[in-house]
Amino acid sequence: MGAALPIGDPVPVGGTLPEDLVIDPDAPFGVYLHVPFCRVRCGYCDFNTYTATELRGARQDAYADEVLREIALSAALIDARGPRRAARTVFFGGGTPTLLPPGDLARMLGGVRDTFGIAPGAEVTVEANPDTMNPRVADELAAAGVTRLSIGMQSAVPHVLAALDRTHDPANVATAVAAARGAGLDVSVDLIYGAPGESLDDWRRSVETAVSLEPDHVSAYALIIEEGTRLERQIRRGEVPAPDDDLQADMYELADERLAAAGFSWYEVSNWARSADQRSRHNLAYWRGTDWWGYGPGAHSHVAGLRWWNVKHPAAYAQRLAAGDSPAAGRERPDAEARRLESVLLRSRIVEGLGIDELDAGGRRAVASLIADGLVEGAAAVRGRIVLTRRGRLMADAVVRALTE
């Protein structure tokens, strides 16, 4: 059921936005639609997701209507402060969005289209479990306006999937990719490395399998042990080993080398695409700090420097909307220094880099040392930007500390 929400400031019952909030009509706007349902809980996952036994009164078959209520509420809140903007990106995340019937996802997307509009050429992504995909589902999603499928592959090796509590059939990844291609959708595959018992050869097999599927985009994330997860408890009890940092570094280098050889270029620490057009525009919006509205339990939003987050449980979310109230649980408005530090944290991780002039004096002094240590490209000082080397990507947290201390 995920980590605890931030505390933040209270939100008016109706969700009214601050009177002094100024919405830029030309700023990019994205939409995130959270689907919090999963068949099983993966041992490493701390996302805000729920299995059937954890719903406690919430109903999957009513969920699309609840999200449509929140979309309608958000439109009224925006109208009081500025113009509506067409969504340039829409992302269905989870959870497992494809546990819902494609018709429900289509209705939610239709609500966004009818309320805000969807910009020409918009990127519309649906995350999918391989076991839930087939040509019929892919065709229905494409007909609804979906342009991109993000398939949760994680690994091609059965014992690694078992260590992660992933239950999908590895063979269904290829089936899901073929279904997406047949429907004319772009394809991304997601991988995780560093699971208990995973060897470098296991990881090589997964990367090679992903490449053989010829996707447009690959995400490869190092396994992070989140507090309160089943996997964290297993490690704490000594039942399975903790991830090995050195092995994970080797795995990252292997992935970067193999993906580069296959024609992919990295554009964010954990993400590679065949071309600039095939990068995840929605996720780039997060890293660049532009505006998005998140719908669903536990979803976070960011508009004109204001952030807020919804109540976590689907039942509480449904109850608030049924009463005509906002589902927002708290909000915050970071000051200029907090926003600058966050920009350093996020934008230093992407290939376009971060302007050196955006750093404070201490951060600017650190640049020369980072170049000397091989963490930042040597030409960065000439171009005036921080751009990570591969070693810098491996040590991204250390780079951020150097730039912000």
Side-chain angles (χ1 to χ4, degrees):
M1 285 174 278
L5 290 172
I7 297 175
D9 299 321
V11 179
V13 170
T16 308
L17 300 174
E19 291 185 4
D20 60 345
L21 192 76
V22 178
I23 296 176
D24 180 354
D26 297 320
F29 178 65
V31 169
Y32 173 73
L33 297 156
H34 187 64
V35 179
F37 311 117
C38 282
R39 284 178 179 160
V40 297
R41 178 173 303 286
C42 299
Y44 63 90
C45 182
D46 76 335
F47 294 167
N48 190 47
T49 63
Y50 301 81
T51 62
T53 59
E54 297 168 331
L55 289 177
R56 300 198 304 273
R59 290 171 43 194
Q60 283 188 205
D61 62 354
Y63 187 70
D65 289 329
E66 292 157 4
V67 169
L68 290 172
R69 289 192 194 101
E70 188 184 4
I71 291 172
L73 173 63
S74 71
L77 298 176
I78 289 175
D79 288 346
R81 296 292 176 263
R84 301 186 196 182
R85 293 166 286 173
R88 299 189 190 182
T89 65
V90 181
F91 196 102
F92 287 85
T96 308
T98 48
L99 275 185
L100 292 181
D104 282 4
L105 300 180
R107 286 201 299 124
M108 293 159 67
L109 183 57
V112 175
R113 182 182 294 109
D114 294 343
T115 304
F116 297 105
I118 295 178
E123 174 194 272
V124 181
T125 302
V126 172
E127 289 186 334
N129 180 298
D131 286 347
T132 63
M133 287 306 302
N134 58 51
R136 178 189 61 78
V137 171
D139 287 344
E140 288 190 42
L141 293 177
V146 174
T147 66
R148 183 172 180 271
L149 202 67
S150 181
I151 299 169
M153 174 180 171
Q154 317 312 354
S155 175
V157 181
H159 79 82
V160 175
L161 291 173
L164 295 170
D165 290 327
R166 298 287 296 186
T167 59
H168 70 261
D169 181 345
N172 284 343
V173 176
T175 301
V177 171
R181 291 298 193 203
L185 301 177
D186 288 343
V187 174
S188 176
V189 295
D190 290 353
L191 300 170
I192 293 178
Y193 58 92
E198 183 177 28
S199 68
L200 192 60
D201 283 340
D202 290 332
W203 175 238
R204 180 178 291 104
R205 176 179 164 188
S206 292
V207 174
E208 294 288 353
T209 301
V211 167
S212 74
L213 296 170
E214 300 184 343
D216 306 297
H217 181 280
V218 175
S219 298
Y221 299 106
L223 178 65
I224 297 173
I225 306 305
E226 302 289 358
E227 186 176 355
T229 60
R230 178 173 177 268
L231 186 54
E232 184 267 338
R233 293 191 294 271
Q234 289 177 308
I235 291 172
R236 183 160 28 89
R237 293 192 297 260
E239 297 171 4
V240 297
D244 182 306
D245 291 343
D246 290 335
L247 178 58
Q248 284 191 324
D250 291 342
M251 290 174 166
Y252 183 89
E253 291 183 332
L254 185 155
D256 191 48
E257 291 168 0
R258 184 63 190 90
L259 289 168
F264 293 85
S265 298
W266 84 274
Y267 69 95
E268 190 276 339
V269 168
S270 301
N271 290 272
W272 292 259
R274 288 196 181 275
S275 71
D277 290 341
Q278 291 165 326
R279 296 170 181 173
S280 172
R281 284 183 270 151
H282 187 83
N283 286 340
L284 278 168
Y286 296 152
W287 296 318
R288 291 169 176 162
T290 58
D291 290 355
W292 74 88
W293 199 299
Y295 299 94
H300 287 235
S301 302
H302 173 260
V303 174
L306 180 72
R307 303 191 177 142
W308 65 94
W309 44 90
N310 286 347
V311 292
K312 287 182 60 177
H313 199 278
Y317 172 79
Q319 288 163 7
R320 289 204 182 191
L321 288 166
D325 298 336
S326 166
R331 71 188 184 193
E332 63 183 8
R333 208 170 189 178
D335 61 21
E337 177 61 10
R339 291 197 302 272
R340 187 188 70 80
L341 291 174
E342 184 179 75
S343 179
V344 173
L345 169 66
L346 295 175
R347 289 175 56 215
S348 62
R349 296 173 60 91
I350 56 179
V351 72
E352 66 197 42
L354 171 77
I356 293 174
D357 59 358
E358 298 178 53
L359 303 172
D360 62 15
R364 290 193 296 273
R365 286 193 297 270
V367 172
S369 294
L370 292 169
I371 292 173
D373 290 340
L375 302 179
V376 169
E377 288 186 10
V382 177
R383 293 200 307 271
R385 303 192 74 76
I386 299 293
V387 180
L388 299 178
T389 62
R390 180 192 289 166
R391 185 165 181 264
R393 285 179 264 150
L394 281 167
M395 301 179 65
D397 291 344
V399 173
V400 170
R401 285 195 298 272
L403 296 174
T404 56
E405 286 180 350

